[in-house]
Amino acid sequence: MVKKVATPSTSLLRMLQALCLLAAMCMAPAPASATLPDTAGVRTRTLLFGAGSQNVLETYLSPLEYTGVSTSQMQMTERRMPQRLANWLTNWYLLITMGFDGSILHSPAKNVDAFDGNVASSVAFVRGWRPAPQWRLAIGPMGEACGGATFNTRNGNNPVQARLSATLGLTALGEFDFVWLRRKWTARLQADAPVIGLMFSPNFGQSYYELLGLGHTDRNLRLTTPFNAPSLRLMATIQVPLTRKLNIVAGYRADIRQSHVNHLKSHHWMHQFVVGISRTIKTLSR
Amino acid sequence: MKKTLLTLLALAMLLHTSCITEDVATPTRAGNFMTLWKIIDEHYCFFDYKQQAYGLDWDEVRQRYEPAISEGMTNVQLFEVLSDMTAELRDGHVNLTAAHNVARYGEWFDNYPMNFSDSLERKYLGRASEYRAASGLRYRILSDNVGYLRVPSFDVEFGDGNLQEMVRYLGGCNALIVDVRNNGGGMLSSAEKLTTIFVNQTTTVGYIQHKTGPGHNDFSAPRKIEVTPFDGLRWQKPVFVLTNRRTYSAANSFVMYMSQLPAVTIVGDRTGGGAGMPFSSELPNGWGIRFSACPMLNAKGEHTEFGIEPHVHVDISSHDYSRSIDTIIETARNMAHDN
């Protein structure tokens, strides 16, 4: 008699199956529209506020990881491309995101403070599919520009590490409509992954005095790939209508930005709870 | 099933290797020791120069001090051991900072004559109403029509107006004495700014390098430090720069810039040095560490980390001290009359 032992992979699959079953029991699919606008000329605008924690490593400033609270604000606009421009655009969407975040951080010994701030703007051009009435999937290229700085209150000639980057990557998102408690809900998961780009970084021991005061550049613009700058942005949200055009959005946001260039290591791991509103706006064509 | 397992394993490996982190020791005594040793090992900029100058071997330093570390030692005892270890670098820019003390290396001035006195400074500058003061610069015209400019620090940014007014006020003097004794430094940009009133064309006054990696010899090529002439009145007559062992860091750089200009004579004692721009870092227990990170070289490409020898070496004699005479200022005044 052979005794079957559950391997880690079978256990994982069983757990996933159980979760899917539970989700199916709780949520009946609804043939309603998701957050991606169905028709051209309709825009969905989402304003999100986030609060959570951030873990920052900037070895230009310190070999230690600083942690603290972070807040953010994001604005997203999504629109379906008008068919009149080209037939092939019928199922393409434009996603524009702008946002900023700020953090107050502390050293592990809690005797030094640091301040971190970033602004980012991205444009994604995604192709949408509807595998089932309640499902929407989309994937496409994304371009992003980011700038930011971390200021360490103790350091003398190396008090700041500035960041500037422009990247091209991929955006993928999935939306699922369901009815629960007699309301139509939309679950959404979006991932943005930079693939290739350029970033600014001082060289290993280069001071900003030398860089900005004397104008001495030295390998300050570096090519980034997932090998030296593995980064990922994830946003998982649930949306429920408040009125016919206004929705409440809440969820989780993870912003993982990392780099290892010029022998300098950097990571910014931000996890936030986000909440906000989403509006559907019909624009009149001229 | 095998495929799923392999996929999950590959995903787990990718996620694991994707995390960019720094290996930092825990805040134990040994962990703090190793972190300090490693920060200096990877970032300090004078290993090669000091190996040649006095045989500094940072690996040997670690082997010598590591046995002195034990987890039962107190914070004060740990601080003493780490301070002694950093003192091996013989660098006034290396400071270990704790709540109870700041470790500093002082051999570069403690073993030498002071060659400066507040009382003598007061005698030559006079009462507060007798000299001008602007942005930290103090100046007056001495009785023999020699201008005297006291620059106690480069911590202050000098404005164009400050320099313009100063040159206009002292313009009638036959010579100018610039006293940077006991000037412990400050901003390099201030040292450069003050130099601009003494040059008539863009002049290469030195070179700067930076580390390009953690290796002891990972350096960029030396790049020029150029000073462009001041946009206004500039000093065209003889200049005497007064120095002592406490002329350090940005003040040492100022002397380095000035020493190669044709109308400039350096008078006094050798400067203290400090030719590495310091960076800061920290240990797991919260103590701060400052260290020389970017070496600055003179216009000949030579290190000035251990100071700059003056053109005319003068100490204040005890006989002059007793008569309230500053031998170094008087030497400069005599030379100004001889010109």
Side-chain angles (χ1 to χ4, degrees), chain B residues 109-118 181-182 243-246 269 315-316 321 328:
Chain B
F109 58 84
D110 277 342
N111 294 342
Y112 302 95
M114 192 67 182
N115 280 322
F116 184 80
S117 151
D118 290 346
R181 289 176 296 172
N182 273 37
T243 56
N244 68 352
R245 290 278 174 170
R246 284 180 183 256
D269 197 358
D315 290 327
I316 300 179
Y321 260 130
I328 297 173

mmCIF file of all heavy atoms in Angstrom, chain B residues 109-118 181-182 243-246 269 315-316 321 328:
data_model
loop_
_atom_site.group_PDB
_atom_site.id
_atom_site.type_symbol
_atom_site.label_atom_id
_atom_site.label_comp_id
_atom_site.label_asym_id
_atom_site.label_seq_id
_atom_site.Cartn_x
_atom_site.Cartn_y
_atom_site.Cartn_z
ATOM 1 N N PHE B 109 48.087 68.789 15.487
ATOM 2 C CA PHE B 109 48.288 70.121 16.071
ATOM 3 C C PHE B 109 48.799 70.041 17.513
ATOM 4 O O PHE B 109 49.499 70.928 17.976
ATOM 5 C CB PHE B 109 47.010 70.966 16.021
ATOM 6 C CG PHE B 109 45.815 70.365 16.715
ATOM 7 C CD1 PHE B 109 45.640 70.520 18.082
ATOM 8 C CD2 PHE B 109 44.870 69.666 16.012
ATOM 9 C CE1 PHE B 109 44.535 69.988 18.732
ATOM 10 C CE2 PHE B 109 43.766 69.114 16.644
ATOM 11 C CZ PHE B 109 43.607 69.273 18.006
ATOM 12 N N ASP B 110 48.449 68.950 18.230
ATOM 13 C CA ASP B 110 48.831 68.872 19.640
ATOM 14 C C ASP B 110 50.347 68.867 19.844
ATOM 15 O O ASP B 110 50.843 69.332 20.866
ATOM 16 C CB ASP B 110 48.233 67.605 20.275
ATOM 17 C CG ASP B 110 46.789 67.823 20.702
ATOM 18 O OD1 ASP B 110 46.386 68.997 20.818
ATOM 19 O OD2 ASP B 110 46.064 66.839 20.909
ATOM 20 N N ASN B 111 51.070 68.310 18.886
ATOM 21 C CA ASN B 111 52.525 68.174 19.062
ATOM 22 C C ASN B 111 53.309 69.389 18.571
ATOM 23 O O ASN B 111 54.527 69.318 18.454
ATOM 24 C CB ASN B 111 53.017 66.928 18.305
ATOM 25 C CG ASN B 111 52.453 65.655 18.910
ATOM 26 O OD1 ASN B 111 51.988 65.674 20.051
ATOM 27 N ND2 ASN B 111 52.479 64.572 18.164
ATOM 28 N N TYR B 112 52.611 70.461 18.257
ATOM 29 C CA TYR B 112 53.305 71.603 17.639
ATOM 30 C C TYR B 112 52.929 72.901 18.346
ATOM 31 O O TYR B 112 51.907 72.980 19.026
ATOM 32 C CB TYR B 112 52.946 71.688 16.147
ATOM 33 C CG TYR B 112 53.289 70.425 15.406
ATOM 34 C CD1 TYR B 112 52.329 69.431 15.207
ATOM 35 C CD2 TYR B 112 54.591 70.207 14.955
ATOM 36 C CE1 TYR B 112 52.652 68.247 14.551
ATOM 37 C CE2 TYR B 112 54.915 69.027 14.307
ATOM 38 C CZ TYR B 112 53.935 68.052 14.105
ATOM 39 O OH TYR B 112 54.266 66.888 13.475
ATOM 40 N N PRO B 113 53.755 73.951 18.136
ATOM 41 C CA PRO B 113 53.435 75.238 18.765
ATOM 42 C C PRO B 113 52.113 75.786 18.257
ATOM 43 O O PRO B 113 51.730 75.549 17.102
ATOM 44 C CB PRO B 113 54.586 76.145 18.339
ATOM 45 C CG PRO B 113 55.560 75.326 17.601
ATOM 46 C CD PRO B 113 54.977 73.990 17.342
ATOM 47 N N MET B 114 51.408 76.507 19.104
ATOM 48 C CA MET B 114 50.100 77.045 18.749
ATOM 49 C C MET B 114 50.223 78.103 17.646
ATOM 50 O O MET B 114 49.429 78.152 16.725
ATOM 51 C CB MET B 114 49.469 77.659 20.006
ATOM 52 C CG MET B 114 48.017 77.983 19.864
ATOM 53 S SD MET B 114 47.037 76.489 19.692
ATOM 54 C CE MET B 114 45.444 77.217 19.479
ATOM 55 N N ASN B 115 51.192 78.975 17.797
ATOM 56 C CA ASN B 115 51.434 80.029 16.795
ATOM 57 C C ASN B 115 50.219 80.916 16.534
ATOM 58 O O ASN B 115 50.049 81.455 15.433
ATOM 59 C CB ASN B 115 51.930 79.436 15.470
ATOM 60 C CG ASN B 115 53.412 79.113 15.512
ATOM 61 O OD1 ASN B 115 54.185 79.878 16.102
ATOM 62 N ND2 ASN B 115 53.802 78.005 14.937
ATOM 63 N N PHE B 116 49.385 81.027 17.536
ATOM 64 C CA PHE B 116 48.223 81.903 17.428
ATOM 65 C C PHE B 116 47.731 82.188 18.833
ATOM 66 O O PHE B 116 47.806 81.332 19.715
ATOM 67 C CB PHE B 116 47.112 81.233 16.612
ATOM 68 C CG PHE B 116 45.923 82.126 16.391
ATOM 69 C CD1 PHE B 116 45.951 83.101 15.411
ATOM 70 C CD2 PHE B 116 44.778 82.004 17.175
ATOM 71 C CE1 PHE B 116 44.869 83.943 15.216
ATOM 72 C CE2 PHE B 116 43.700 82.845 16.984
ATOM 73 C CZ PHE B 116 43.738 83.804 16.000
ATOM 74 N N SER B 117 47.208 83.375 19.002
ATOM 75 C CA SER B 117 46.681 83.739 20.309
ATOM 76 C C SER B 117 45.520 84.709 20.121
ATOM 77 O O SER B 117 45.598 85.650 19.326
ATOM 78 C CB SER B 117 47.796 84.397 21.134
ATOM 79 O OG SER B 117 47.258 85.312 22.051
ATOM 80 N N ASP B 118 44.438 84.440 20.842
ATOM 81 C CA ASP B 118 43.274 85.334 20.786
ATOM 82 C C ASP B 118 43.658 86.750 21.220
ATOM 83 O O ASP B 118 43.156 87.738 20.677
ATOM 84 C CB ASP B 118 42.155 84.818 21.705
ATOM 85 C CG ASP B 118 41.533 83.553 21.156
ATOM 86 O OD1 ASP B 118 41.782 83.254 19.978
ATOM 87 O OD2 ASP B 118 40.812 82.878 21.911
ATOM 88 N N ARG B 181 45.069 81.297 10.213
ATOM 89 C CA ARG B 181 45.501 80.459 11.332
ATOM 90 C C ARG B 181 44.284 80.087 12.176
ATOM 91 O O ARG B 181 43.330 80.883 12.304
ATOM 92 C CB ARG B 181 46.526 81.220 12.184
ATOM 93 C CG ARG B 181 47.863 81.394 11.490
ATOM 94 C CD ARG B 181 48.801 82.217 12.324
ATOM 95 N NE ARG B 181 48.312 83.583 12.495
ATOM 96 C CZ ARG B 181 48.866 84.482 13.321
ATOM 97 N NH1 ARG B 181 49.891 84.140 14.064
ATOM 98 N NH2 ARG B 181 48.372 85.698 13.401
ATOM 99 N N ASN B 182 44.312 78.898 12.740
ATOM 100 C CA ASN B 182 43.196 78.385 13.560
ATOM 101 C C ASN B 182 41.884 78.308 12.784
ATOM 102 O O ASN B 182 40.826 78.225 13.393
ATOM 103 C CB ASN B 182 43.002 79.236 14.812
ATOM 104 C CG ASN B 182 43.877 78.758 15.944
ATOM 105 O OD1 ASN B 182 45.012 78.349 15.699
ATOM 106 N ND2 ASN B 182 43.380 78.787 17.159
ATOM 107 N N THR B 243 49.628 80.982 8.233
ATOM 108 C CA THR B 243 49.157 79.623 8.530
ATOM 109 C C THR B 243 49.741 79.103 9.827
ATOM 110 O O THR B 243 50.810 79.546 10.269
ATOM 111 C CB THR B 243 49.573 78.655 7.400
ATOM 112 O OG1 THR B 243 51.001 78.722 7.245
ATOM 113 C CG2 THR B 243 48.910 79.020 6.083
ATOM 114 N N ASN B 244 49.041 78.150 10.431
ATOM 115 C CA ASN B 244 49.606 77.382 11.548
ATOM 116 C C ASN B 244 49.087 75.953 11.455
ATOM 117 O O ASN B 244 48.396 75.590 10.487
ATOM 118 C CB ASN B 244 49.289 78.039 12.905
ATOM 119 C CG ASN B 244 47.819 77.980 13.262
ATOM 120 O OD1 ASN B 244 46.977 77.577 12.444
ATOM 121 N ND2 ASN B 244 47.480 78.391 14.474
ATOM 122 N N ARG B 245 49.411 75.151 12.438
ATOM 123 C CA ARG B 245 49.040 73.724 12.378
ATOM 124 C C ARG B 245 47.531 73.505 12.452
ATOM 125 O O ARG B 245 47.059 72.427 12.144
ATOM 126 C CB ARG B 245 49.721 72.972 13.525
ATOM 127 C CG ARG B 245 51.228 72.860 13.347
ATOM 128 C CD ARG B 245 51.575 71.715 12.420
ATOM 129 N NE ARG B 245 53.008 71.691 12.124
ATOM 130 C CZ ARG B 245 53.619 70.687 11.497
ATOM 131 N NH1 ARG B 245 52.925 69.635 11.102
ATOM 132 N NH2 ARG B 245 54.908 70.738 11.252
ATOM 133 N N ARG B 246 46.821 74.497 12.902
ATOM 134 C CA ARG B 246 45.358 74.361 12.972
ATOM 135 C C ARG B 246 44.670 74.944 11.733
ATOM 136 O O ARG B 246 43.468 75.156 11.731
ATOM 137 C CB ARG B 246 44.828 75.016 14.245
ATOM 138 C CG ARG B 246 45.090 74.160 15.478
ATOM 139 C CD ARG B 246 44.538 74.852 16.711
ATOM 140 N NE ARG B 246 44.826 74.099 17.921
ATOM 141 C CZ ARG B 246 43.923 73.368 18.578
ATOM 142 N NH1 ARG B 246 42.703 73.280 18.111
ATOM 143 N NH2 ARG B 246 44.247 72.726 19.687
ATOM 144 N N ASP B 269 53.554 78.514 10.107
ATOM 145 C CA ASP B 269 53.895 77.115 10.327
ATOM 146 C C ASP B 269 53.220 76.266 9.252
ATOM 147 O O ASP B 269 52.329 76.738 8.536
ATOM 148 C CB ASP B 269 53.400 76.688 11.716
ATOM 149 C CG ASP B 269 54.052 75.406 12.196
ATOM 150 O OD1 ASP B 269 54.865 74.828 11.436
ATOM 151 O OD2 ASP B 269 53.741 74.985 13.330
ATOM 152 N N ASP B 315 57.784 80.782 13.585
ATOM 153 C CA ASP B 315 56.997 80.518 14.793
ATOM 154 C C ASP B 315 56.949 81.796 15.610
ATOM 155 O O ASP B 315 57.853 82.632 15.514
ATOM 156 C CB ASP B 315 57.651 79.415 15.631
ATOM 157 C CG ASP B 315 57.548 78.051 14.968
ATOM 158 O OD1 ASP B 315 56.536 77.812 14.275
ATOM 159 O OD2 ASP B 315 58.482 77.234 15.122
ATOM 160 N N ILE B 316 55.894 81.934 16.399
ATOM 161 C CA ILE B 316 55.855 83.083 17.314
ATOM 162 C C ILE B 316 56.824 82.771 18.454
ATOM 163 O O ILE B 316 56.665 81.768 19.153
ATOM 164 C CB ILE B 316 54.436 83.323 17.865
ATOM 165 C CG1 ILE B 316 53.451 83.596 16.713
ATOM 166 C CG2 ILE B 316 54.430 84.487 18.854
ATOM 167 C CD1 ILE B 316 52.016 83.824 17.166
ATOM 168 N N TYR B 321 55.858 86.707 22.321
ATOM 169 C CA TYR B 321 54.608 86.469 23.062
ATOM 170 C C TYR B 321 54.547 87.374 24.283
ATOM 171 O O TYR B 321 53.523 88.016 24.567
ATOM 172 C CB TYR B 321 54.531 85.010 23.534
ATOM 173 C CG TYR B 321 53.661 84.116 22.670
ATOM 174 C CD1 TYR B 321 54.139 82.897 22.214
ATOM 175 C CD2 TYR B 321 52.345 84.469 22.348
ATOM 176 C CE1 TYR B 321 53.358 82.060 21.437
ATOM 177 C CE2 TYR B 321 51.558 83.634 21.577
ATOM 178 C CZ TYR B 321 52.069 82.431 21.123
ATOM 179 O OH TYR B 321 51.298 81.617 20.366
ATOM 180 N N ILE B 328 54.552 86.209 13.448
ATOM 181 C CA ILE B 328 54.172 85.813 12.084
ATOM 182 C C ILE B 328 53.587 87.014 11.330
ATOM 183 O O ILE B 328 53.949 87.278 10.175
ATOM 184 C CB ILE B 328 53.187 84.622 12.133
ATOM 185 C CG1 ILE B 328 53.882 83.412 12.770
ATOM 186 C CG2 ILE B 328 52.669 84.269 10.741
ATOM 187 C CD1 ILE B 328 52.981 82.218 13.032
#
